[in-house]
Amino acid sequence: MADAEWRLNGVALSDPARGWSLQAGSVWRAPVVPRLSQVELPGRSGEVPTGPPGYVLEAPLLTFEWLVRAPSMLGLDRTLDDLYVLLASTPLRVTRVVVRDWERHETFADARLVSIAERDGARVGPGTASVRVVAQLRMPGVAFRGPITEAALSVNGRTALVGLVGSTAPIPDAVIRVTGPATYAAVVDEATGTSITWTGNLPAGQYAYLDAGRLLLHKSGSPSAWDAPGADSPELDYSVAGPLRVTPRVPSYTTDRTVAVVSSLTGTGQLLMRAQSAYL
């Protein structure tokens, strides 16, 4: 497991000094399972897919297997206590670190414990005791996340989101800040056609925050009220394709994962997007 380092709440999941080492049965990357809606028709072979397959994903399970060692059964029991209490911690954040082109690439996700179980029972020998332990964690948010970036958007055209290049998962929770004066704003994802629109009246010196993930609106006189609670509002809307999901796109002629949106604004204000990179 030297090619992928895993941590849980900052603690290394493979640490012989602590008495546990990840084994080959452990996950290397999280599985990707689309939630497919399919209909079977009498007298017709196969299935009829419905909805947008691939856009809705199941929460993946991460499976880890350890060899836990100690000098005695008493020591093994204490080491298992340490591992179990770590796995049962709340909140729980799992971190994955890989080295790409000599640079560390670190992503993280919130997780929940699903199960812990021994495999094959404990083994005891002269001066040693060991047992294999398997645990499963579920990632409710589906994707691993990276840095949060901000980008000024065009008020009438396409914007390439350079800070999100390299993402492999749709980003469903971008927040758009509209700076007044403005009466209308729209942001459309180039890859999927999903969007978020706002129609209202925002005077100069005021800001409207459009939360695409929760479909909430917040207005403020502060330019940094990104995390303020919003509310349902008839001023927000989205296209038939669905609420805005900022999605990486792979053109046929390159492997670069471009991320871009097309935006427009009625008024003389500005648009700014805050989003967090996402990885499958």
Side-chain angles (χ1 to χ4, degrees):
M1 300 298 293
D3 52 357
E5 175 189 342
W6 292 93
R7 297 198 298 268
L8 204 58
N9 287 359
V11 177
L13 289 186
S14 191
D15 187 350
R18 292 179 180 268
W20 54 68
S21 301
L22 284 176
Q23 302 299 292
S26 299
V27 66
W28 186 63
R29 291 189 65 151
V32 180
V33 183
R35 182 184 300 158
L36 301 179
S37 299
Q38 301 178 123
V39 177
E40 296 183 5
L41 298 180
R44 178 172 174 176
S45 300
E47 300 169 326
V48 179
T50 62
Y55 290 161
V56 180
L57 302 175
E58 299 286 356
L61 282 176
L62 304 179
T63 301
F64 297 101
E65 180 175 339
W66 293 270
L67 178 61
V68 183
R69 297 176 182 268
S72 65
M73 283 298 293
L74 179 59
L76 182 64
D77 198 46
R78 289 173 175 168
T79 302
L80 288 173
D81 283 347
D82 293 340
L83 180 60
Y84 280 34
V85 75
L86 173 63
L87 292 168
S89 300
T90 54
L92 201 58
R93 171 163 288 189
V94 59
T95 302
R96 182 177 186 264
V97 182
V98 295
V99 178
R100 298 178 178 174
D101 299 324
W102 305 103
E103 293 184 1
R104 286 171 60 88
H105 181 70
E106 183 172 314
T107 56
F108 57 87
D110 293 332
R112 294 179 180 177
L113 177 66
V114 174
S115 65
I116 309 173
E118 293 182 12
R119 176 169 290 179
D120 301 329
R123 297 185 178 183
V124 183
T128 183
S130 64
V131 67
R132 288 183 178 269
V133 173
V134 178
Q136 286 190 318
L137 306 178
R138 187 180 300 278
M139 290 169 44
V142 177
F144 286 92
R145 307 308 295 265
I148 296 174
T149 62
E150 295 181 4
L153 303 183
S154 169
V155 296
N156 186 25
R158 179 182 186 271
T159 303
L161 303 172
V162 178
L164 300 178
V165 170
S167 291
T168 58
I171 300 166
D173 51 6
V175 178
I176 313 299
R177 190 186 73 189
V178 183
T179 302
T183 56
Y184 174 82
V187 179
V188 182
D189 178 62
E190 184 179 66
T192 63
T194 57
S195 69
I196 188 167
T197 62
W198 165 80
T199 304
N201 186 15
L202 190 68
Q206 294 294 303
Y207 303 88
Y209 296 85
L210 322 181
D211 187 329
R214 298 180 296 170
L215 293 177
L216 300 178
L217 173 67
H218 172 69
K219 294 181 180 179
S220 172
S222 169
S224 58
W226 295 95
D227 299 322
D232 293 331
S233 173
E235 297 181 7
L236 288 184
D237 203 354
Y238 53 86
S239 64
V240 175
L244 180 68
R245 293 187 304 271
V246 183
T247 304
R249 184 175 188 176
V250 182
S252 59
Y253 54 84
T254 178
T255 57
D256 291 337
R257 295 187 293 275
T258 59
V259 184
V261 295
V262 177
S263 48
S264 59
L265 179 74
T266 300
T268 58
Q270 298 176 329
L271 293 173
L272 188 71
M273 172 185 285
R274 172 178 281 197
Q276 188 173 23
S277 54
Y279 304 88
L280 298 176

